[in-house]
Amino acid sequence: MKQIFLFIFVNVKRKKDNMPNSESIYINPLTDFGFKFLFGKHADKEFILSFLNSLINGPSPITDVTFIDKEKKGEAKDDRALIYDLHCELADKTKIIVEMQNRYQSYFDDRAIYYLAADIYSQGEKGDSWNYKLTPVYGVFLMNFDWKDSKDQHLREDICLYNMQSQRIFSDKMRMTFLKIPMMEKDAEECQTTLERWLYLLKNMETMESIPRTFMQDPVFRRLGDVARYGALSDKEKKAYKESLKIYRDNYAIMETERTEGRAEGLAEGLAEGRAEGLAEGLAKGRTEGKLHIARAMLADGMNPDMISKYTGLSLAEISNL
């Protein structure tokens, strides 16, 4: 059975001390150049194969991929600086769409569903004899931002179609897995699986001085330590990487500015609301104190509590406590 997999890599939130550094030993794998150089280079398929196999726990490992040139329709031109695409095909024609996005997007969950649904819909273009038998479509979204729409605060979220009454899987034709890089907080020594090691490297490679010793048991990561070195790039590759790094930094600066302005605006709104709320409470308290003062004077003059309540608006219980 043929299968289509959709992978989206997303990068937005990085700690200040993880900002791109021109003196870094390794290239940043979350730049356009770095991502495609490491995972889309024909000579080093072992990296993409290792990563895919760490995500897809299939009955047998993926042994080969072919990279194909294909652009996703419907993307805005400006998104090219934020979305990096790789399109792969396995020996059995299984398609793998790999994406890395560099920014939070509203309705991100809807976007993920749309991508999967589009691939499912395209399967109907097979002629009159098609019997509606679908190829499963799996989406794995690797995100490096705080997903505001997510209600699940786990590193990994797995979504499927299931029966709400029996709570059993209804269909395996569509599945989504969301991986949140900011929640990958393990140290190198704590990483036990290949997936955890890849997530750690994607998040930290640019600031590392060497591949962690505990990773070096895997020949893939030993090879990665050689290939990903900035000094190993040709002059042409270094130029392309620097241009990609500049775009990455510019986008990061824009997002940091938006985040800072958002915090300042939120603080200003909070202070304004606080002042307004305080003023309202003060006025209400003043009015109440005034009524109580008048009620005390009325009581001193011997007026009936019912009359005092009528003219001040105070309850009889409030008046009896004076």
Side-chain angles (χ1 to χ4, degrees), residues 105-114 141 147 149 176 178:
Q105 185 180 53
S106 298
Y107 308 110
F108 184 77
D109 48 352
D110 289 349
R111 176 175 178 243
I113 294 171
Y114 172 79
F141 304 86
W147 187 16
D149 301 329
M176 293 178 286
F178 297 91

Side-chain angles (χ1 to χ4, degrees), residues 171-303:
S171 173
D172 66 348
K173 304 301 181 181
M174 178 185 288
R175 290 188 181 183
M176 293 178 286
T177 297
F178 297 91
L179 298 170
K180 307 166 190 175
I181 292 182
M183 300 188 72
M184 178 55 190
E185 299 178 346
K186 290 186 176 182
D187 294 331
E189 294 74 14
E190 296 176 310
C191 295
Q192 299 296 320
T193 66
T194 302
L195 177 58
E196 288 178 345
R197 294 185 178 109
W198 274 116
L199 293 176
Y200 177 88
L201 290 170
L202 287 170
K203 183 177 181 180
N204 299 293
M205 182 179 290
E206 190 190 9
T207 61
M208 297 187 319
E209 296 184 357
S210 63
I211 300 297
R213 180 180 56 82
T214 53
F215 291 24
M216 298 299 280
Q217 299 175 7
D218 189 330
V220 169
F221 295 126
R222 291 201 298 270
R223 169 73 171 151
L224 180 70
D226 295 330
V227 174
R229 286 183 177 272
Y230 174 78
L233 301 179
S234 67
D235 290 341
K236 182 178 180 180
E237 290 169 339
K238 287 179 180 178
K239 181 179 178 180
Y241 173 62
K242 288 180 179 179
E243 292 175 353
S244 180
L245 189 60
K246 182 181 183 301
I247 294 174
Y248 179 88
R249 287 172 170 171
D250 289 346
N251 286 324
Y252 179 88
I254 291 172
M255 288 180 283
E256 278 296 289
T257 299
E258 292 175 348
R259 202 155 30 234
T260 300
E261 291 178 348
R263 287 195 294 265
E265 183 179 349
L267 178 60
E269 291 179 355
L271 290 173
E273 290 177 0
R275 285 194 294 268
E277 184 178 349
L279 178 60
E281 290 179 356
L283 290 173
K285 184 176 181 180
R287 285 193 293 268
T288 301
E289 291 294 338
K291 291 178 181 180
L292 293 173
H293 179 75
I294 294 172
R296 290 190 186 96
M298 289 179 172
L299 284 173
D301 288 342
M303 290 188 66

